[in-house]
Amino acid sequence: MRIRPAERADLPSIARVFTQTTRHAFNAFTPGGRTESGLGAEAMVPEGQALIEFAWDLWWGQWFAYVAELRPGEVVGFSCGGAEATETTEHRVQMRGLYVLPEHQGGLVGRFLASAVASRFLELGHRSLMSWVLEQNVAARDFHVGLGGEPRYRVESVGYFVREVPPGPEVHALVGYVWDDASALVIRRRARS
Amino acid sequence: MASVPESAQRYFTEWLPRQGGARVAGPATARIRVVVTGDGGGAWDLEAGPSGLTAGPQGTAPAQASLELSVEDFRELFLGTSLAPAGVERSDLCFLNPQVRSLIGAAPGVVQLEIDGVAGRTWRMRVVFGDGAGTEPTTVTLPREAFTRLLTRESVPPALMESGDLQFTGEPHLAMQLALGLVP
């Protein structure tokens, strides 16, 4: 496996990973894959719009992104970094999205991607970072805790994933995880003795 | 190099596949429909894939996107250089760049692109993504100079939006899709 900066040619792969991962997560935290009012993943994350908006974010250089490539051309995960999206926290930068195909979750793919994003932020002079996670996405929250993230914020109806949710009982919350020391996320190679 | 034919029929079925075939070759397949209205117009399907670009009369299979424009506007965009300078790949103007074409049509809808100040009038192209269903038409408007800067990558859409040159009404993701298709 290789972690490398995303290129424009990766956009279709990134869009595919994003869509599959998001739908998998949604089905995992909603009984029967439906919310109380019957919304399914397709209503929560319109595939076409998600593809285009994500491609747009990456395309014009507003973000940096890394992909995890299992074999040349086989992208199984990606993560982006950029400005903190909600502007409700004291943190300036955000690990925006960490997506790993379901069949590759639980391994080191996500860990290495987070390390790459944190390293890049450190290079850019940011000592801390944060990441928003949908509150219902228990697996993602566990993953962030496992990486040492501290749950410090909670907001409602903010963020990409919940944009399509109608107001009322379908409003979701996001939990903000913080790493005051971004270097804690960085995997360092052991020096050979 | 053979001169560019003025006939839309020959342009899309002969010249463009010959000139853009190698550039267009890539793993993702795409079918883009071009509909040119008016005297000398017609409708053709451009099909891109691993072996390059082929073109023929409009078929019955659905297209990822359809570009609809008048003969006069076809000439301005594809034959002239006032809108798209000579260095701009004409196959890219047909949403055929292999890097992005699998994204084209992912969000269905209709976009009306309007460029002001082209030969003293407004240049127009209607782009139908997928079956066009789902939303009201989105209108994207910008002056000719800004459109040219976009195509030559001297400007990017967010900057043009910030400056007020690029304006749109309707669905943002359709405007984004249009920009992705035109400026790979």
Side-chain angles (χ1 to χ4, degrees):
Chain A
M1 186 188 70
R2 185 166 74 114
I3 306 292
R4 61 168 174 79
E7 300 169 356
R8 290 184 174 187
D10 294 316
L11 281 180
S13 298
I14 287 170
R16 176 179 55 82
V17 170
F18 169 72
T19 303
Q20 290 183 17
T21 306
T22 305
R23 291 188 172 207
H24 174 80
F26 178 85
N27 289 330
F29 64 68
T30 53
R34 295 278 156 183
T35 65
E36 288 180 6
S37 60
L39 286 177
E42 70 284 354
M44 300 282 285
V45 186
E47 185 175 58
Q49 183 174 334
L51 289 172
I52 300 307
E53 291 191 3
F54 239 74
W56 175 270
D57 277 350
L58 293 171
W59 198 256
W60 301 110
Q62 297 177 45
W63 302 85
F64 61 82
Y66 290 92
V67 294
E69 206 175 36
L70 202 60
R71 284 176 283 272
E74 186 181 349
V75 173
V76 297
F78 73 96
S79 187
C80 312
E84 198 277 296
T86 69
E87 299 181 351
T88 60
T89 77
E90 64 186 34
H91 297 274
R92 295 180 60 196
V93 296
Q94 174 186 352
M95 179 165 65
R96 172 135 178 184
L98 198 160
Y99 297 84
V100 178
L101 284 177
E103 58 269 33
H104 295 285
Q105 291 175 6
L108 287 172
V109 177
R111 182 78 182 83
F112 280 111
L113 282 168
S115 172
V117 170
S119 295
R120 183 69 182 130
F121 277 139
L122 287 165
E123 288 172 2
L124 294 171
H126 299 283
R127 312 313 302 173
S128 65
L129 67 95
M130 60 92 58
S131 175
W132 289 106
V133 179
L134 195 66
E135 190 172 53
Q136 291 158 292
N137 192 345
V138 176
R141 286 170 52 200
D142 287 347
F143 176 77
H144 280 64
V145 169
L147 290 179
E150 179 195 333
R152 196 177 296 174
Y153 302 98
R154 186 178 184 278
V155 295
E156 291 188 342
S157 296
V158 177
Y160 186 85
F161 190 81
V162 295
R163 186 177 298 170
E164 296 302 313
V165 179
E170 297 289 357
V171 172
H172 289 76
L174 298 172
V175 178
Y177 289 83
V178 174
W179 289 264
D180 288 316
D181 178 7
S183 66
L185 277 171
V186 177
I187 299 171
R188 291 183 172 78
R189 292 178 181 169
R190 288 181 184 170
R192 293 186 178 178
S193 56
Chain B
M1 189 174 76
S3 61
V4 182
E6 291 199 6
S7 150
Q9 159 85 18
R10 286 189 57 212
Y11 184 89
F12 288 114
T13 61
E14 298 175 19
W15 190 85
L16 193 63
R18 197 165 55 237
Q19 297 298 321
R23 176 179 173 80
V24 162
T29 58
R31 177 182 297 109
I32 304 295
R33 185 158 296 149
V34 182
V35 179
V36 178
T37 57
D39 190 19
W44 302 275
D45 283 351
L46 311 177
E47 296 196 23
S51 59
L53 179 62
T54 59
Q58 175 183 344
T60 55
Q64 282 164 256
S66 297
L67 317 180
E68 301 171 9
L69 68 176
S70 69
V71 166
E72 291 75 21
D73 289 337
F74 151 76
R75 288 180 181 142
E76 288 288 351
L77 181 63
F78 290 99
L79 306 183
T81 55
S82 64
L83 266 176
V88 174
E89 293 290 340
R90 267 44 188 174
S91 56
D92 286 355
L93 299 176
C94 299
F95 298 72
L96 288 169
N97 187 286
Q99 290 191 352
V100 293
R101 66 181 178 230
S102 66
L103 295 175
I104 301 305
V110 177
V111 180
Q112 176 82 12
L113 175 61
E114 299 186 351
I115 314 294
D116 295 327
V118 179
R121 62 188 178 85
T122 299
W123 178 96
R124 291 183 172 86
M125 180 166 74
R126 186 170 182 263
V127 182
V128 179
F129 293 113
D131 61 7
T135 58
E136 292 294 310
T138 289
T139 301
V140 177
T141 307
L142 65 171
R144 184 188 65 79
E145 296 80 7
F147 183 69
T148 300
R149 290 204 308 275
L150 192 64
L151 293 183
T152 55
R153 297 161 176 79
E154 293 170 58
S155 290
V156 294
L160 292 176
M161 286 182 199
E162 197 170 322
S163 67
D165 283 330
L166 193 159
Q167 299 186 358
F168 69 90
T169 59
E171 293 293 332
H173 64 274
L174 289 176
M176 294 172 184
Q177 188 169 216
L178 178 79
L180 274 174
L182 282 171
V183 199

PDB file of all heavy atoms in Angstrom, chain B residues 56-90:
ATOM      1  N   GLY B  56     -20.797   9.273 -34.796  1.00  0.00           N
ATOM      2  CA  GLY B  56     -21.792   8.878 -35.780  1.00  0.00           C
ATOM      3  C   GLY B  56     -23.079   9.619 -35.521  1.00  0.00           C
ATOM      4  O   GLY B  56     -23.165  10.435 -34.587  1.00  0.00           O
ATOM      5  N   PRO B  57     -24.082   9.346 -36.328  1.00  0.00           N
ATOM      6  CA  PRO B  57     -25.368  10.019 -36.113  1.00  0.00           C
ATOM      7  C   PRO B  57     -25.949   9.683 -34.751  1.00  0.00           C
ATOM      8  O   PRO B  57     -25.631   8.637 -34.171  1.00  0.00           O
ATOM      9  CB  PRO B  57     -26.252   9.426 -37.235  1.00  0.00           C
ATOM     10  CG  PRO B  57     -25.318   8.829 -38.219  1.00  0.00           C
ATOM     11  CD  PRO B  57     -24.098   8.420 -37.478  1.00  0.00           C
ATOM     12  N   GLN B  58     -26.775  10.566 -34.250  1.00  0.00           N
ATOM     13  CA  GLN B  58     -27.396  10.342 -32.945  1.00  0.00           C
ATOM     14  C   GLN B  58     -28.082   8.989 -32.908  1.00  0.00           C
ATOM     15  O   GLN B  58     -28.833   8.625 -33.813  1.00  0.00           O
ATOM     16  CB  GLN B  58     -28.413  11.441 -32.657  1.00  0.00           C
ATOM     17  CG  GLN B  58     -29.204  11.211 -31.374  1.00  0.00           C
ATOM     18  CD  GLN B  58     -30.260  12.273 -31.141  1.00  0.00           C
ATOM     19  OE1 GLN B  58     -30.226  13.337 -31.749  1.00  0.00           O
ATOM     20  NE2 GLN B  58     -31.193  11.981 -30.266  1.00  0.00           N
ATOM     21  N   GLY B  59     -27.811   8.211 -31.858  1.00  0.00           N
ATOM     22  CA  GLY B  59     -28.447   6.917 -31.701  1.00  0.00           C
ATOM     23  C   GLY B  59     -29.540   6.966 -30.663  1.00  0.00           C
ATOM     24  O   GLY B  59     -29.968   8.043 -30.230  1.00  0.00           O
ATOM     25  N   THR B  60     -29.975   5.795 -30.254  1.00  0.00           N
ATOM     26  CA  THR B  60     -31.064   5.733 -29.273  1.00  0.00           C
ATOM     27  C   THR B  60     -30.546   5.543 -27.849  1.00  0.00           C
ATOM     28  O   THR B  60     -31.287   5.736 -26.896  1.00  0.00           O
ATOM     29  CB  THR B  60     -32.015   4.580 -29.611  1.00  0.00           C
ATOM     30  OG1 THR B  60     -31.245   3.365 -29.692  1.00  0.00           O
ATOM     31  CG2 THR B  60     -32.722   4.828 -30.927  1.00  0.00           C
ATOM     32  N   ALA B  61     -29.292   5.132 -27.722  1.00  0.00           N
ATOM     33  CA  ALA B  61     -28.739   4.925 -26.381  1.00  0.00           C
ATOM     34  C   ALA B  61     -28.606   6.267 -25.663  1.00  0.00           C
ATOM     35  O   ALA B  61     -28.313   7.284 -26.304  1.00  0.00           O
ATOM     36  CB  ALA B  61     -27.379   4.255 -26.476  1.00  0.00           C
ATOM     37  N   PRO B  62     -28.824   6.287 -24.347  1.00  0.00           N
ATOM     38  CA  PRO B  62     -28.702   7.560 -23.621  1.00  0.00           C
ATOM     39  C   PRO B  62     -27.269   8.067 -23.602  1.00  0.00           C
ATOM     40  O   PRO B  62     -26.316   7.293 -23.662  1.00  0.00           O
ATOM     41  CB  PRO B  62     -29.176   7.207 -22.208  1.00  0.00           C
ATOM     42  CG  PRO B  62     -29.012   5.729 -22.097  1.00  0.00           C
ATOM     43  CD  PRO B  62     -29.199   5.163 -23.471  1.00  0.00           C
ATOM     44  N   ALA B  63     -27.143   9.382 -23.530  1.00  0.00           N
ATOM     45  CA  ALA B  63     -25.829  10.019 -23.465  1.00  0.00           C
ATOM     46  C   ALA B  63     -25.606  10.574 -22.066  1.00  0.00           C
ATOM     47  O   ALA B  63     -26.554  10.910 -21.359  1.00  0.00           O
ATOM     48  CB  ALA B  63     -25.738  11.142 -24.492  1.00  0.00           C
ATOM     49  N   GLN B  64     -24.336  10.675 -21.673  1.00  0.00           N
ATOM     50  CA  GLN B  64     -24.031  11.269 -20.371  1.00  0.00           C
ATOM     51  C   GLN B  64     -24.326  12.757 -20.368  1.00  0.00           C
ATOM     52  O   GLN B  64     -24.673  13.328 -19.346  1.00  0.00           O
ATOM     53  CB  GLN B  64     -22.567  11.020 -20.015  1.00  0.00           C
ATOM     54  CG  GLN B  64     -22.317   9.608 -19.518  1.00  0.00           C
ATOM     55  CD  GLN B  64     -20.858   9.263 -19.540  1.00  0.00           C
ATOM     56  OE1 GLN B  64     -20.411   8.535 -20.419  1.00  0.00           O
ATOM     57  NE2 GLN B  64     -20.119   9.763 -18.585  1.00  0.00           N
ATOM     58  N   ALA B  65     -24.132  13.364 -21.521  1.00  0.00           N
ATOM     59  CA  ALA B  65     -24.433  14.794 -21.640  1.00  0.00           C
ATOM     60  C   ALA B  65     -24.763  15.106 -23.081  1.00  0.00           C
ATOM     61  O   ALA B  65     -24.259  14.456 -24.000  1.00  0.00           O
ATOM     62  CB  ALA B  65     -23.253  15.644 -21.174  1.00  0.00           C
ATOM     63  N   SER B  66     -25.626  16.090 -23.259  1.00  0.00           N
ATOM     64  CA  SER B  66     -25.948  16.574 -24.599  1.00  0.00           C
ATOM     65  C   SER B  66     -25.651  18.063 -24.655  1.00  0.00           C
ATOM     66  O   SER B  66     -26.063  18.818 -23.767  1.00  0.00           O
ATOM     67  CB  SER B  66     -27.433  16.346 -24.916  1.00  0.00           C
ATOM     68  OG  SER B  66     -27.729  14.973 -24.922  1.00  0.00           O
ATOM     69  N   LEU B  67     -24.931  18.448 -25.688  1.00  0.00           N
ATOM     70  CA  LEU B  67     -24.634  19.860 -25.901  1.00  0.00           C
ATOM     71  C   LEU B  67     -25.522  20.352 -27.033  1.00  0.00           C
ATOM     72  O   LEU B  67     -25.503  19.769 -28.120  1.00  0.00           O
ATOM     73  CB  LEU B  67     -23.162  20.058 -26.273  1.00  0.00           C
ATOM     74  CG  LEU B  67     -22.113  19.265 -25.495  1.00  0.00           C
ATOM     75  CD1 LEU B  67     -20.715  19.596 -25.990  1.00  0.00           C
ATOM     76  CD2 LEU B  67     -22.234  19.560 -24.011  1.00  0.00           C
ATOM     77  N   GLU B  68     -26.286  21.392 -26.788  1.00  0.00           N
ATOM     78  CA  GLU B  68     -27.210  21.895 -27.794  1.00  0.00           C
ATOM     79  C   GLU B  68     -26.885  23.354 -28.073  1.00  0.00           C
ATOM     80  O   GLU B  68     -26.910  24.188 -27.146  1.00  0.00           O
ATOM     81  CB  GLU B  68     -28.649  21.747 -27.297  1.00  0.00           C
ATOM     82  CG  GLU B  68     -29.017  20.296 -26.971  1.00  0.00           C
ATOM     83  CD  GLU B  68     -30.371  20.163 -26.278  1.00  0.00           C
ATOM     84  OE1 GLU B  68     -31.107  21.172 -26.205  1.00  0.00           O
ATOM     85  OE2 GLU B  68     -30.669  19.060 -25.797  1.00  0.00           O
ATOM     86  N   LEU B  69     -26.585  23.643 -29.342  1.00  0.00           N
ATOM     87  CA  LEU B  69     -26.242  25.020 -29.700  1.00  0.00           C
ATOM     88  C   LEU B  69     -26.570  25.251 -31.169  1.00  0.00           C
ATOM     89  O   LEU B  69     -26.755  24.296 -31.935  1.00  0.00           O
ATOM     90  CB  LEU B  69     -24.779  25.336 -29.401  1.00  0.00           C
ATOM     91  CG  LEU B  69     -23.657  24.683 -30.193  1.00  0.00           C
ATOM     92  CD1 LEU B  69     -22.315  25.270 -29.745  1.00  0.00           C
ATOM     93  CD2 LEU B  69     -23.592  23.186 -30.041  1.00  0.00           C
ATOM     94  N   SER B  70     -26.652  26.515 -31.542  1.00  0.00           N
ATOM     95  CA  SER B  70     -26.993  26.855 -32.916  1.00  0.00           C
ATOM     96  C   SER B  70     -25.766  26.708 -33.814  1.00  0.00           C
ATOM     97  O   SER B  70     -24.626  26.618 -33.325  1.00  0.00           O
ATOM     98  CB  SER B  70     -27.517  28.287 -32.987  1.00  0.00           C
ATOM     99  OG  SER B  70     -26.447  29.181 -32.719  1.00  0.00           O
ATOM    100  N   VAL B  71     -25.992  26.698 -35.109  1.00  0.00           N
ATOM    101  CA  VAL B  71     -24.876  26.628 -36.062  1.00  0.00           C
ATOM    102  C   VAL B  71     -23.923  27.801 -35.848  1.00  0.00           C
ATOM    103  O   VAL B  71     -22.695  27.634 -35.846  1.00  0.00           O
ATOM    104  CB  VAL B  71     -25.416  26.619 -37.513  1.00  0.00           C
ATOM    105  CG1 VAL B  71     -24.289  26.889 -38.504  1.00  0.00           C
ATOM    106  CG2 VAL B  71     -26.069  25.287 -37.818  1.00  0.00           C
ATOM    107  N   GLU B  72     -24.495  28.995 -35.634  1.00  0.00           N
ATOM    108  CA  GLU B  72     -23.648  30.173 -35.432  1.00  0.00           C
ATOM    109  C   GLU B  72     -22.793  30.016 -34.167  1.00  0.00           C
ATOM    110  O   GLU B  72     -21.597  30.341 -34.165  1.00  0.00           O
ATOM    111  CB  GLU B  72     -24.514  31.434 -35.303  1.00  0.00           C
ATOM    112  CG  GLU B  72     -25.229  31.859 -36.573  1.00  0.00           C
ATOM    113  CD  GLU B  72     -26.430  30.981 -36.906  1.00  0.00           C
ATOM    114  OE1 GLU B  72     -26.947  30.303 -35.979  1.00  0.00           O
ATOM    115  OE2 GLU B  72     -26.822  30.927 -38.082  1.00  0.00           O
ATOM    116  N   ASP B  73     -23.404  29.499 -33.128  1.00  0.00           N
ATOM    117  CA  ASP B  73     -22.653  29.340 -31.883  1.00  0.00           C
ATOM    118  C   ASP B  73     -21.668  28.171 -31.953  1.00  0.00           C
ATOM    119  O   ASP B  73     -20.616  28.204 -31.305  1.00  0.00           O
ATOM    120  CB  ASP B  73     -23.619  29.182 -30.696  1.00  0.00           C
ATOM    121  CG  ASP B  73     -24.325  30.490 -30.384  1.00  0.00           C
ATOM    122  OD1 ASP B  73     -23.778  31.559 -30.740  1.00  0.00           O
ATOM    123  OD2 ASP B  73     -25.421  30.463 -29.790  1.00  0.00           O
ATOM    124  N   PHE B  74     -22.004  27.148 -32.733  1.00  0.00           N
ATOM    125  CA  PHE B  74     -21.038  26.069 -32.997  1.00  0.00           C
ATOM    126  C   PHE B  74     -19.787  26.650 -33.645  1.00  0.00           C
ATOM    127  O   PHE B  74     -18.650  26.343 -33.256  1.00  0.00           O
ATOM    128  CB  PHE B  74     -21.677  24.997 -33.902  1.00  0.00           C
ATOM    129  CG  PHE B  74     -20.698  24.261 -34.759  1.00  0.00           C
ATOM    130  CD1 PHE B  74     -19.869  23.277 -34.207  1.00  0.00           C
ATOM    131  CD2 PHE B  74     -20.573  24.553 -36.119  1.00  0.00           C
ATOM    132  CE1 PHE B  74     -18.944  22.604 -35.003  1.00  0.00           C
ATOM    133  CE2 PHE B  74     -19.661  23.886 -36.897  1.00  0.00           C
ATOM    134  CZ  PHE B  74     -18.825  22.912 -36.345  1.00  0.00           C
ATOM    135  N   ARG B  75     -19.998  27.510 -34.644  1.00  0.00           N
ATOM    136  CA  ARG B  75     -18.842  28.092 -35.362  1.00  0.00           C
ATOM    137  C   ARG B  75     -17.989  28.950 -34.432  1.00  0.00           C
ATOM    138  O   ARG B  75     -16.763  28.915 -34.497  1.00  0.00           O
ATOM    139  CB  ARG B  75     -19.341  28.917 -36.551  1.00  0.00           C
ATOM    140  CG  ARG B  75     -19.883  28.044 -37.679  1.00  0.00           C
ATOM    141  CD  ARG B  75     -20.381  28.862 -38.850  1.00  0.00           C
ATOM    142  NE  ARG B  75     -20.911  27.996 -39.898  1.00  0.00           N
ATOM    143  CZ  ARG B  75     -21.973  28.272 -40.628  1.00  0.00           C
ATOM    144  NH1 ARG B  75     -22.617  29.414 -40.457  1.00  0.00           N
ATOM    145  NH2 ARG B  75     -22.392  27.430 -41.554  1.00  0.00           N
ATOM    146  N   GLU B  76     -18.656  29.733 -33.581  1.00  0.00           N
ATOM    147  CA  GLU B  76     -17.894  30.592 -32.671  1.00  0.00           C
ATOM    148  C   GLU B  76     -17.030  29.772 -31.724  1.00  0.00           C
ATOM    149  O   GLU B  76     -15.873  30.103 -31.466  1.00  0.00           O
ATOM    150  CB  GLU B  76     -18.842  31.479 -31.849  1.00  0.00           C
ATOM    151  CG  GLU B  76     -19.517  32.588 -32.628  1.00  0.00           C
ATOM    152  CD  GLU B  76     -18.548  33.702 -33.006  1.00  0.00           C
ATOM    153  OE1 GLU B  76     -17.401  33.704 -32.519  1.00  0.00           O
ATOM    154  OE2 GLU B  76     -18.945  34.558 -33.814  1.00  0.00           O
ATOM    155  N   LEU B  77     -17.594  28.678 -31.200  1.00  0.00           N
ATOM    156  CA  LEU B  77     -16.862  27.909 -30.195  1.00  0.00           C
ATOM    157  C   LEU B  77     -15.819  26.986 -30.812  1.00  0.00           C
ATOM    158  O   LEU B  77     -14.691  26.904 -30.330  1.00  0.00           O
ATOM    159  CB  LEU B  77     -17.842  27.080 -29.353  1.00  0.00           C
ATOM    160  CG  LEU B  77     -17.208  26.244 -28.234  1.00  0.00           C
ATOM    161  CD1 LEU B  77     -16.537  27.149 -27.197  1.00  0.00           C
ATOM    162  CD2 LEU B  77     -18.253  25.366 -27.547  1.00  0.00           C
ATOM    163  N   PHE B  78     -16.193  26.293 -31.856  1.00  0.00           N
ATOM    164  CA  PHE B  78     -15.318  25.235 -32.362  1.00  0.00           C
ATOM    165  C   PHE B  78     -14.432  25.666 -33.527  1.00  0.00           C
ATOM    166  O   PHE B  78     -13.337  25.141 -33.698  1.00  0.00           O
ATOM    167  CB  PHE B  78     -16.150  24.013 -32.782  1.00  0.00           C
ATOM    168  CG  PHE B  78     -16.761  23.290 -31.620  1.00  0.00           C
ATOM    169  CD1 PHE B  78     -18.081  23.499 -31.266  1.00  0.00           C
ATOM    170  CD2 PHE B  78     -16.007  22.404 -30.860  1.00  0.00           C
ATOM    171  CE1 PHE B  78     -18.649  22.835 -30.185  1.00  0.00           C
ATOM    172  CE2 PHE B  78     -16.562  21.737 -29.778  1.00  0.00           C
ATOM    173  CZ  PHE B  78     -17.887  21.952 -29.445  1.00  0.00           C
ATOM    174  N   LEU B  79     -14.903  26.602 -34.334  1.00  0.00           N
ATOM    175  CA  LEU B  79     -14.122  26.994 -35.509  1.00  0.00           C
ATOM    176  C   LEU B  79     -13.360  28.294 -35.275  1.00  0.00           C
ATOM    177  O   LEU B  79     -12.254  28.464 -35.784  1.00  0.00           O
ATOM    178  CB  LEU B  79     -15.038  27.156 -36.732  1.00  0.00           C
ATOM    179  CG  LEU B  79     -15.923  25.957 -37.076  1.00  0.00           C
ATOM    180  CD1 LEU B  79     -16.704  26.236 -38.351  1.00  0.00           C
ATOM    181  CD2 LEU B  79     -15.092  24.688 -37.228  1.00  0.00           C
ATOM    182  N   GLY B  80     -13.928  29.193 -34.525  1.00  0.00           N
ATOM    183  CA  GLY B  80     -13.268  30.468 -34.281  1.00  0.00           C
ATOM    184  C   GLY B  80     -12.301  30.388 -33.116  1.00  0.00           C
ATOM    185  O   GLY B  80     -12.113  29.336 -32.503  1.00  0.00           O
ATOM    186  N   THR B  81     -11.674  31.517 -32.839  1.00  0.00           N
ATOM    187  CA  THR B  81     -10.731  31.568 -31.720  1.00  0.00           C
ATOM    188  C   THR B  81     -11.064  32.671 -30.723  1.00  0.00           C
ATOM    189  O   THR B  81     -10.323  32.905 -29.781  1.00  0.00           O
ATOM    190  CB  THR B  81      -9.292  31.780 -32.226  1.00  0.00           C
ATOM    191  OG1 THR B  81      -9.274  32.956 -33.040  1.00  0.00           O
ATOM    192  CG2 THR B  81      -8.796  30.586 -33.013  1.00  0.00           C
ATOM    193  N   SER B  82     -12.167  33.364 -30.931  1.00  0.00           N
ATOM    194  CA  SER B  82     -12.493  34.451 -30.018  1.00  0.00           C
ATOM    195  C   SER B  82     -12.989  33.927 -28.670  1.00  0.00           C
ATOM    196  O   SER B  82     -12.787  34.556 -27.638  1.00  0.00           O
ATOM    197  CB  SER B  82     -13.548  35.369 -30.635  1.00  0.00           C
ATOM    198  OG  SER B  82     -14.759  34.668 -30.826  1.00  0.00           O
ATOM    199  N   LEU B  83     -13.629  32.787 -28.677  1.00  0.00           N
ATOM    200  CA  LEU B  83     -14.098  32.185 -27.429  1.00  0.00           C
ATOM    201  C   LEU B  83     -13.069  31.214 -26.861  1.00  0.00           C
ATOM    202  O   LEU B  83     -12.730  31.251 -25.689  1.00  0.00           O
ATOM    203  CB  LEU B  83     -15.403  31.417 -27.683  1.00  0.00           C
ATOM    204  CG  LEU B  83     -16.719  32.141 -27.440  1.00  0.00           C
ATOM    205  CD1 LEU B  83     -17.883  31.249 -27.847  1.00  0.00           C
ATOM    206  CD2 LEU B  83     -16.855  32.530 -25.988  1.00  0.00           C
ATOM    207  N   ALA B  84     -12.613  30.316 -27.699  1.00  0.00           N
ATOM    208  CA  ALA B  84     -11.644  29.301 -27.283  1.00  0.00           C
ATOM    209  C   ALA B  84     -10.392  29.450 -28.136  1.00  0.00           C
ATOM    210  O   ALA B  84     -10.393  29.093 -29.315  1.00  0.00           O
ATOM    211  CB  ALA B  84     -12.230  27.909 -27.464  1.00  0.00           C
ATOM    212  N   PRO B  85      -9.313  29.998 -27.554  1.00  0.00           N
ATOM    213  CA  PRO B  85      -8.082  30.181 -28.324  1.00  0.00           C
ATOM    214  C   PRO B  85      -7.569  28.862 -28.906  1.00  0.00           C
ATOM    215  O   PRO B  85      -7.980  27.774 -28.476  1.00  0.00           O
ATOM    216  CB  PRO B  85      -7.112  30.743 -27.280  1.00  0.00           C
ATOM    217  CG  PRO B  85      -7.975  31.372 -26.250  1.00  0.00           C
ATOM    218  CD  PRO B  85      -9.213  30.544 -26.194  1.00  0.00           C
ATOM    219  N   ALA B  86      -6.660  28.987 -29.839  1.00  0.00           N
ATOM    220  CA  ALA B  86      -6.216  27.813 -30.604  1.00  0.00           C
ATOM    221  C   ALA B  86      -5.664  26.703 -29.718  1.00  0.00           C
ATOM    222  O   ALA B  86      -5.799  25.524 -30.036  1.00  0.00           O
ATOM    223  CB  ALA B  86      -5.169  28.250 -31.623  1.00  0.00           C
ATOM    224  N   GLY B  87      -5.050  27.045 -28.591  1.00  0.00           N
ATOM    225  CA  GLY B  87      -4.451  26.009 -27.753  1.00  0.00           C
ATOM    226  C   GLY B  87      -5.438  25.183 -26.951  1.00  0.00           C
ATOM    227  O   GLY B  87      -5.064  24.178 -26.347  1.00  0.00           O
ATOM    228  N   VAL B  88      -6.686  25.588 -26.933  1.00  0.00           N
ATOM    229  CA  VAL B  88      -7.693  24.859 -26.165  1.00  0.00           C
ATOM    230  C   VAL B  88      -8.138  23.628 -26.956  1.00  0.00           C
ATOM    231  O   VAL B  88      -8.535  23.739 -28.114  1.00  0.00           O
ATOM    232  CB  VAL B  88      -8.907  25.767 -25.859  1.00  0.00           C
ATOM    233  CG1 VAL B  88     -10.015  24.970 -25.189  1.00  0.00           C
ATOM    234  CG2 VAL B  88      -8.475  26.937 -24.987  1.00  0.00           C
ATOM    235  N   GLU B  89      -8.040  22.469 -26.324  1.00  0.00           N
ATOM    236  CA  GLU B  89      -8.407  21.229 -27.005  1.00  0.00           C
ATOM    237  C   GLU B  89      -9.910  21.206 -27.289  1.00  0.00           C
ATOM    238  O   GLU B  89     -10.726  21.337 -26.374  1.00  0.00           O
ATOM    239  CB  GLU B  89      -8.036  20.023 -26.140  1.00  0.00           C
ATOM    240  CG  GLU B  89      -6.553  19.825 -25.955  1.00  0.00           C
ATOM    241  CD  GLU B  89      -5.864  19.382 -27.238  1.00  0.00           C
ATOM    242  OE1 GLU B  89      -6.565  18.865 -28.133  1.00  0.00           O
ATOM    243  OE2 GLU B  89      -4.642  19.559 -27.332  1.00  0.00           O
ATOM    244  N   ARG B  90     -10.246  21.012 -28.537  1.00  0.00           N
ATOM    245  CA  ARG B  90     -11.671  21.013 -28.884  1.00  0.00           C
ATOM    246  C   ARG B  90     -12.402  19.807 -28.307  1.00  0.00           C
ATOM    247  O   ARG B  90     -13.603  19.873 -28.026  1.00  0.00           O
ATOM    248  CB  ARG B  90     -11.832  21.056 -30.402  1.00  0.00           C
ATOM    249  CG  ARG B  90     -11.993  22.449 -31.011  1.00  0.00           C
ATOM    250  CD  ARG B  90     -11.051  23.475 -30.449  1.00  0.00           C
ATOM    251  NE  ARG B  90     -11.359  24.825 -30.910  1.00  0.00           N
ATOM    252  CZ  ARG B  90     -10.772  25.932 -30.480  1.00  0.00           C
ATOM    253  NH1 ARG B  90      -9.825  25.854 -29.547  1.00  0.00           N
ATOM    254  NH2 ARG B  90     -11.114  27.106 -30.932  1.00  0.00           N
TER     255      ARG B  90
END
